Amino acid sequence: MRRDGAYPPLLLALCVTVALIAAIPLLFVVGYTVSLGWGAAWRLIVRPRVGELLVNTTELMLGCMILCAVLGTAAAWLVHRTNLPGRGVWHVLLAAPLAVPAFVTSFGWVSVTGAVEGYGGALLIVTLSYYPLVYLPVAATLRGLDPALEETARSLGLGSWAAFARVVLPQLRPAVLGGSLLVGLHLLAEFGALQMLRFPTFTTAIYDQYRSSYDAQAANMLAGVLVACCAVLLLAELRLRGRRRYARLGSGAARIAPPVRLGLWSAPALLAVLGVVVLALGVPLGSLARWLVVGASTAFPLGTLAQTAGTALGLGLMAALLTTLCAIPVAWLSVRHRGRVSSTLERSTYIGNALPGIVVALALITVSIRFVRPAYQTTGLLLIAYVIMFLPRAVVSVRAAVAQAQPVLDDVAHSLGAGTISRLRRVTLPLMAPGVGAGAALVFLAVVTELTATLLLSPTGTHTLATQFWSEVRDVDYGAAAPYAALMVLISAPATYLLTATARRST
Amino acid sequence: MTGLTIRRLSKSFGSVRALAGVDLDVPARALTAILGPSGCGKTTLLRLVAGFTTPDAGTIAFGDLLVSEPHTAIPPQRRRIGYVPQEGALFPHLRVADNITFGLPSAARRSRKRLAELLDLVELHSSTAERYPHELSGGQQQRVALARALAPNPSVVLLDEPFSSLDANLRLSTGRTVAQALHAAGATALLVTHDQNEALSLADQVAVMREGRLVQVGSPGAVYATPADSAVARFVGDAVLLPAVVTGRTARCALGVLSVRGGPGEGQGQVLIRPEQIEIVHGGTGVPALVGAVTYFGHDATVAMTIQPDGPTVTARVSGTRTPDPGTHVHLTVNGPVTTFPGRETAAA
């Protein structure tokens, strides 16, 4: 709009503030390592225990990324490119595990059989929880692929398998790799599921160090190593994105490729998809239902349930509001005032995406104890943690919303006699509302089911659905834990459905 | 509707001089096209007239009213302009009816009478009113954008390359509808375009712009037949430019001795011949030439020919029903007077 202008100072100041808040955890980790001194840091890092954790974390992460890539891609191909019966239903069911927090899935399994403890079980459960992160982008790419490319390959003499391998797979690569890296990042941050499965990784070790031995030094250094792991994944992601070319779709209706006929393979394919859905959704939700019945037969904690639900919803609403308010100036600056400064500020708000909740929590605890003592153990500090962790989701949505409200529409309204307030009310806000709302909803959902940071940061006496669930599970009172888990799933299910539905329409 | 007067208008972006002292009179109730290649400053001129940008120097007046002078500027919302940007830019969250009535006072927005009038003016069916912009074709969107701009009875309508996103057929028909609607509304309109066909066919007056300056302002016929210089000649249409010696009212060049438009001249120069002025005659008088490549368009064709024995190559436009075969020998004559430019010789185009 103002092509010739510099950055507006007030907006810039707001954005710098937001970016600094978002950078607190990273600055803390780096600053802490530096202040500790190289020698001391080295002693804390190079220990057999750290090596053990590194091996555990890496083998779980790599195993899960590979399995998710295979499972997600295969499922997406079956559902979106073949004549598998009931594809619409399978699409929803295959995406649905996103609505079930990983710690609820692992609760469902652990409460049925102890056999899932250890590497194999952990691998199974995290894969079942996270494969939709590959399935969804691959499905979107498959639907958006121009069938003309595959047809050209066929016309050049390739068989259907060869065409798939040489033309379709290379185009899926960005989606598969991008999705797998996202799985890796989620896994590095995963705490609840792995703690329940008794498979120690960096996150669980940091928590134990902090909670049981109060060894802040060791915990902080472990956090440093964890951040380094995240940085490796993130660098891989950046490299990948730099080379990625986005297929530009024409404005006309995209032609849909004719589905591959499965023929005799229909039955095995159906069984495979059914198997995935049963393992990922059926077992956890079934056992959740069973424990609900068991719990209800003894004492249904209606009072605590309502109270913790109220707390979770309240925190969710406040965090959604606060995060969206922080996202708006950053998104506005990055869309309307393109430049090096604005893109740096925008990118710094994405740091939270790569930082595990446990690192954010640890950073805020240490920083608040050292510099702003009164803030320690307050709801405000917890809300700041949510803002840092979920700001990326809000910025992405709000950014798209600001892009919707193109400056040329502002110009047109201006020429038609609308003043500043009137333009905001009649053009800019109505256009931005859906995107801003979607961003707020994403933050709200994430907060309602957030466990790790909430466990560490919530003020004494504040219990959310997730933390109350966690303490019941710790006491091995599965029946009492079930209602909290069920409520979390119920809250996040409709929104997850809507989000996958929009993803489907936009492809 | 009022005319528009622009005097010594200048604007720079950093070190880039977008407009370098532009003078232009836009007559009332007529369509003036600003024609120029991309980056010549024509969109900047439009945005200055609209008031979205403020000029560094110069004045803009709508009739007797100065809307922009060095120290005071009337903001866009009080200039009473209609603005039709590229690709229409309809408000995506509003129906066609609400888009068109956007600029009307809130009481008038509910009246369907003005809406019906406007839909009629831009030749859209009344059922279009309830649709959303994404449900319309590109040409329909563009017509809604014009109706929206005309609704509040603006004093000047500004169109910024409004047809560039449409495909060739639609561009022609939408352009005609828009020009008719503008005439019917008695609107003073300023159209910015880089498409010479669009400018010549739609406008009452064409202003050719180059590097921030207006190099020629005139009727479409005048700009085409008597361009200000050889660059304008090439920009507004296909041109055959040959070195020539001017003597009085004639010019001698490779295509013979031709009669010259305008007053008598003397000396070395260049002569401009439009391809459709060159006539192919089989045998008889005229300059001998060898037929080269023939490019066939159906309704007409262009024929490249080398003047014998070793003269320059010229291109003629002939009717599609009478194209010569490549390799045949023909004779050429030139119909009508030609335009000359004084100065140094340039190779034939």
Side-chain angles (χ1 to χ4, degrees):
Chain A
M1 183 171 50
R2 268 159 215 88
R3 298 182 177 95
D4 44 339
Y7 297 111
L10 184 66
L11 186 63
L12 193 64
L14 274 174
C15 292
V16 170
T17 313
V18 171
L20 281 179
I21 291 176
I24 289 175
L26 195 64
L27 294 176
F28 159 75
V29 168
V30 174
Y32 191 84
T33 315
V34 171
S35 73
L36 204 58
W38 186 237
W42 187 253
R43 264 197 311 287
L44 281 169
I45 291 171
V46 184
R47 286 184 296 153
R49 174 70 179 146
V50 176
E52 206 177 293
L53 290 173
L54 193 62
V55 168
N56 272 359
T57 308
T58 313
E59 68 179 3
L60 185 65
M61 191 177 81
L62 288 181
C64 179
M65 283 166 74
I66 292 168
L67 281 182
C68 285
V70 173
L71 189 59
T73 310
W77 185 77
L78 275 178
V79 172
H80 296 276
R81 287 303 283 274
T82 72
N83 63 348
L84 188 79
R87 283 169 289 171
V89 177
W90 290 125
H91 176 70
V92 173
L93 288 177
L94 284 168
L98 270 191
V100 185
F103 60 83
V104 172
T105 307
S106 79
F107 158 78
W109 279 88
V110 166
S111 59
V112 171
T113 164
V116 289
E117 288 179 10
Y119 180 71
L123 185 60
L124 173 76
I125 286 165
V126 289
T127 302
L128 290 174
S129 304
Y130 288 132
Y131 78 87
L133 293 175
V134 177
Y135 169 80
L136 284 173
V138 173
T141 313
L142 274 177
R143 296 177 74 94
L145 278 188
D146 188 350
L149 291 170
E150 215 175 329
E151 287 161 7
T152 312
R154 297 295 295 271
S155 77
L156 291 170
L158 270 62
S160 57
W161 274 111
F164 182 77
R166 286 177 57 189
V167 175
V168 178
L169 264 189
Q171 296 191 74
L172 293 182
R173 219 183 60 148
V176 175
L177 287 180
S180 307
L181 288 170
L182 207 57
V183 169
L185 280 178
H186 271 78
L187 207 61
L188 285 178
E190 182 56 59
F191 160 72
L194 299 175
Q195 184 84 326
M196 229 179 272
L197 295 165
R198 297 184 206 287
F199 187 76
T201 61
F202 279 117
T203 19
T204 63
I206 293 169
Y207 183 79
D208 291 340
Q209 291 273 10
Y210 180 78
R211 264 289 136 92
S212 32
S213 44
Y214 292 99
D215 188 347
Q217 248 185 17
N220 288 344
M221 274 337 291
L222 284 179
V225 180
L226 182 56
V227 169
C229 292
C230 295
V232 170
L233 277 190
L234 213 60
L235 279 179
E237 221 265 318
L238 275 181
R239 241 180 87 87
L240 179 75
R241 218 188 297 175
R243 277 182 293 157
R244 189 186 303 180
R245 268 171 305 175
Y246 290 93
R248 201 185 158 82
L249 295 175
S251 52
R255 204 152 52 87
I256 304 289
V260 173
R261 308 204 149 273
L262 286 174
L264 282 177
W265 288 97
S266 291
L270 267 180
L271 273 180
V273 176
L274 181 69
V276 172
V277 170
V278 164
L279 293 180
L281 273 185
V283 172
L285 294 186
S287 99
L288 194 59
R290 186 171 71 100
W291 286 114
L292 266 180
V293 174
V294 172
S297 65
T298 52
F300 200 73
L302 203 56
T304 331
L305 195 63
Q307 204 182 7
T308 52
T311 310
L313 294 181
L315 283 173
L317 286 176
M318 279 191 286
L321 185 69
L322 205 59
T323 312
T324 313
L325 283 180
C326 287
I328 288 174
V330 176
W332 188 273
L333 191 79
S334 81
V335 174
R336 290 289 179 98
H337 304 271
R338 284 169 201 275
R340 201 171 298 167
V341 175
S342 64
S343 70
T344 310
L345 286 172
E346 191 207 348
R347 277 191 208 138
S348 67
T349 62
Y350 289 126
I351 294 175
N353 231 358
L355 288 182
I358 197 141
V359 176
V360 175
L362 218 54
L364 286 182
I365 289 171
T366 318
V367 169
S368 68
I369 287 179
R370 201 173 292 177
F371 300 110
V372 259
R373 192 65 205 238
Y376 180 59
Q377 284 254 326
T378 58
T379 308
L381 197 65
L382 181 59
L383 287 174
I384 289 178
Y386 291 148
V387 168
I388 295 173
M389 289 168 67
F390 304 127
L391 191 58
R393 302 177 190 218
V395 170
V396 168
S397 294
V398 176
R399 202 178 185 288
V402 176
Q404 278 283 305
Q406 296 166 22
V408 67
L409 298 175
D410 222 40
D411 283 347
V412 172
H414 212 163
S415 77
L416 289 168
T420 313
I421 302 288
S422 166
R423 289 205 300 280
L424 207 59
R425 183 176 61 80
R426 293 178 62 195
V427 179
T428 314
L429 286 183
L431 284 172
M432 279 178 56
V436 172
L442 281 177
V443 175
F444 172 80
L445 276 176
V447 169
V448 168
T449 56
E450 211 287 332
L451 173 67
T452 326
T454 318
L455 269 181
L456 288 177
L457 284 173
S458 57
T460 325
T462 299
H463 301 288
T464 67
L465 288 172
T467 61
Q468 190 64 34
F469 166 78
W470 188 250
S471 73
E472 301 290 0
V473 170
R474 210 183 40 205
D475 300 341
V476 206
D477 193 349
Y478 294 148
Y484 303 103
L487 206 51
M488 278 187 279
V489 172
L490 280 181
I491 291 173
S492 48
T496 313
Y497 174 74
L498 282 182
L499 288 173
T500 54
T502 35
R504 231 174 335 156
R505 243 181 295 127
S506 66
T507 57
Chain B
M1 291 280 177
T2 46
L4 174 64
T5 316
I6 295 168
R7 288 291 172 266
R8 291 183 301 286
L9 201 63
S10 297
K11 175 74 183 175
S12 299
F13 296 104
S15 59
V16 182
R17 192 124 200 241
L19 284 187
V22 166
D23 290 293
L24 178 65
D25 290 290
V26 177
R29 299 174 178 278
L31 173 60
T32 296
I34 313 251
L35 174 65
S38 57
C40 73
K42 53 192 192 304
T43 294
T44 303
L45 177 59
L46 202 72
R47 295 181 66 82
L48 288 172
V49 174
F52 301 140
T53 327
T54 46
D56 298 335
T59 58
I60 302 168
F62 289 8
D64 301 327
L65 176 69
L66 268 181
V67 296
S68 176
E69 51 185 327
H71 301 294
T72 53
I74 296 179
Q77 68 266 35
R78 292 201 281 120
R79 287 192 185 191
R80 301 194 54 238
I81 43 165
Y83 177 50
V84 182
Q86 282 185 32
E87 309 193 6
L90 298 180
F91 301 117
H93 60 300
L94 298 177
R95 288 172 202 278
V96 167
D98 299 322
N99 259 291
I100 292 179
T101 56
F102 188 96
L104 299 176
S106 43
R109 267 179 236 157
R110 252 160 273 132
S111 145
R112 309 295 283 183
K113 190 164 151 286
R114 182 77 179 129
L115 178 66
E117 269 173 30
L118 287 159
L119 283 173
D120 204 40
L121 188 67
V122 295
E123 295 176 18
L124 282 174
H125 193 261
S126 55
S127 65
T128 322
E130 295 312 311
R131 303 233 213 121
Y132 278 97
H134 66 265
E135 299 169 317
L136 305 181
S137 72
Q140 288 175 321
Q141 290 188 16
Q142 217 44 267
R143 287 189 250 166
V144 174
L146 179 70
R148 177 179 65 182
L150 288 173
N153 280 321
S155 38
V156 178
V157 178
L158 307 171
L159 305 107
D160 186 1
E161 306 239 12
F163 315 119
S164 60
S165 60
L166 306 178
D167 62 43
N169 285 328
L170 207 54
R171 195 179 307 168
L172 217 65
S173 64
T174 310
R176 252 195 310 268
T177 316
V178 164
Q180 272 162 14
L182 285 167
H183 274 287
T188 305
L190 200 56
L191 165 76
V192 154
T193 178
H194 64 266
D195 181 333
Q196 54 276 21
N197 291 332
E198 201 170 289
L200 295 178
S201 63
L202 300 180
D204 304 299
Q205 174 180 272
V206 176
V208 183
M209 197 164 189
R210 194 166 67 207
E211 288 164 5
R213 292 169 202 280
L214 290 179
V215 284
Q216 188 172 11
V217 182
S219 71
V223 170
Y224 185 74
T226 55
D229 55 35
S230 57
V232 172
R234 276 195 293 258
F235 187 65
V236 296
D238 295 333
V240 174
L241 288 159
L242 297 173
V245 179
V246 183
T247 318
R249 290 182 188 278
T250 59
R252 174 182 296 278
C253 67
L255 280 173
V257 179
L258 312 174
S259 68
V260 172
R261 258 191 207 98
E266 213 64 50
Q268 295 279 328
Q270 236 183 342
V271 60
L272 161 69
I273 305 156
R274 293 294 181 192
E276 60 276 12
Q277 286 184 278
I278 300 177
E279 193 176 345
I280 298 173
V281 286
H282 297 272
T285 57
V287 181
L290 177 66
V291 177
V294 174
T295 313
Y296 185 65
F297 297 109
H299 47 82
D300 61 7
T302 60
V303 183
M305 287 164 296
T306 312
I307 295 170
Q308 295 301 303
D310 52 358
T313 300
V314 298
T315 302
R317 186 183 297 281
V318 300
S319 158
T321 54
R322 291 187 313 178
T323 53
D325 295 320
T328 53
H329 288 272
V330 294
H331 286 81
L332 304 179
T333 59
V334 174
N335 290 329
V338 295
T339 301
T340 57
F341 305 119
R344 63 188 194 287
E345 295 182 9
T346 330

